[in-house]
Amino acid sequence: MTTYAEIRNNAPLWPGVMDRSLLGNRQAQAALYLADMAKRGKWSTVIRELDRGDHVVDVKAWRPGGKTWLTVLHQAGWHGASVDVASWLIEQGALRSQPDAAGRTAFDLAVEHQRSAELLEVLQPPPAPLDRDR
């Protein structure tokens, strides 16, 4: 039997649920906890939560019910996380081109907060594969 993962060619799922009521209680609690820890710059806790292997939280997810659409990578740019932390988040699937509600990427927030050149280099989104008309 063909699995769902095979059908989607093992591509990562998009965790685009914003309405908290659409999530199970465990998933909502875990996502809120992850968002809180990222907002506080508690990177060892963020990494531990994302590295648990149970896939309850996703590195690309926003705070459920949140209005700013900040991901953990946005928070890393805002707080000036280490290059190792930002690189790890990207390796786990964080998207450097993912905008927040204001259209800012993690790179944009790092620039706004005058973070290190090394962090900016890691957070720089890749060039768009399509030209502007497409």
Side-chain angles (χ1 to χ4, degrees):
M1 173 191 246
T2 304
T3 67
Y4 179 63
E6 291 168 334
I7 291 170
R8 61 183 175 77
N9 204 18
N10 291 312
L13 295 175
W14 180 254
V17 175
M18 294 298 294
D19 184 346
R20 238 177 113 174
S21 69
L22 297 175
L23 298 173
N25 188 47
R26 180 170 177 244
Q27 190 175 17
Q29 293 291 333
L32 290 170
Y33 182 68
L34 179 69
D36 287 344
M37 293 301 101
K39 184 175 182 178
R40 293 183 183 130
K42 304 287 186 184
W43 303 117
S44 60
T45 303
V46 167
I47 289 169
R48 184 184 71 236
E49 290 301 306
L50 288 168
D51 203 29
R52 288 172 41 158
D54 59 8
H55 306 289
V56 174
V57 292
D58 188 281
V59 72
K60 297 177 293 300
W62 306 288
R63 175 186 297 277
K67 296 185 182 354
T68 61
W69 300 2
L70 295 177
T71 65
V72 292
L73 192 62
H74 285 97
Q75 294 289 5
W78 184 302
H79 291 289
S82 73
V83 168
D84 290 341
V85 166
S87 296
W88 187 87
L89 293 171
I90 293 165
E91 288 169 11
Q92 301 310 304
L95 301 173
R96 292 173 290 166
S97 58
Q98 186 173 353
D100 67 4
R104 303 169 302 180
T105 64
F107 174 81
D108 297 328
L109 291 172
V111 168
E112 278 181 34
H113 293 276
Q114 301 176 342
R115 300 304 177 201
S116 72
E118 294 82 11
L119 182 60
L120 293 176
E121 185 177 334
V122 169
L123 295 177
Q124 176 74 50
L130 300 175
D131 62 44
R132 196 164 186 85
D133 293 334
R134 292 187 187 178

